Amino acid sequence: QVQLVESGGSLVQPGGSLRLSCTASGFTLGRHTIGWFRQVPGKEREGVSCISPSETSTYSTDSVKGRFTISRDNAKNTVWMQMNGLKPEDTAVYYCAKLRWAYCGSRYLTSSNYDSWGQGTQVTVSS
């Protein structure tokens, strides 16, 4: 069965760093774009970044550009998101998800385009 499992979330101080991991099974990771999303209670799920299968295309939303970097190793069935310079407004549950296709860009970073989701990992940024 298709599974995506996030890990790496924790409580960090403002300005700190975390690396989130997304490990996939049950499908060929190298054939799909993977996206990262985040959600705060009472708010809509927000697209954060995506990466195409061969890393030809990556995209990050304006609020995290220059701070977050997405990468992947298809042989390891893993996608990472390195988060630097964390801010309190980055606090959320972070999810990885599988896109139905192999594209990446702002138009594809909407939750309706993704057909499989992980369980989420909590990131809390607080002093």
Side-chain angles (χ1 to χ4, degrees), residues 27-87:
F27 69 99
T28 302
L29 180 67
R31 296 179 181 176
H32 294 272
T33 286
I34 298 296
W36 284 96
F37 294 77
R38 63 187 181 187
Q39 189 167 27
V40 176
K43 297 183 179 180
E44 294 184 351
R45 190 166 296 184
E46 175 192 18
V48 177
S49 64
C50 60
I51 184 168
S52 64
S54 63
E55 302 185 62
T56 300
S57 298
T58 62
Y59 173 81
S60 296
T61 192
D62 287 345
S63 63
V64 307
K65 285 185 183 297
R67 299 188 297 119
F68 292 9
T69 302
I70 189 169
S71 61
R72 67 192 296 160
D73 186 335
N74 294 331
K76 296 181 179 179
N77 288 333
T78 302
V79 174
W80 297 272
M81 186 164 67
Q82 178 69 41
M83 305 187 296
N84 298 325
L86 285 163
K87 304 175 181 180

Side-chain angles (χ1 to χ4, degrees), residues 6-12 18-21 36 83 92-94 120-124:
E6 304 94 337
S7 63
S10 69
L11 189 153
V12 297
L18 287 173
R19 188 179 73 165
L20 305 184
S21 297
W36 284 96
M83 305 187 296
V93 177
Y94 283 73
T121 186
Q122 176 71 51
V123 172
T124 302

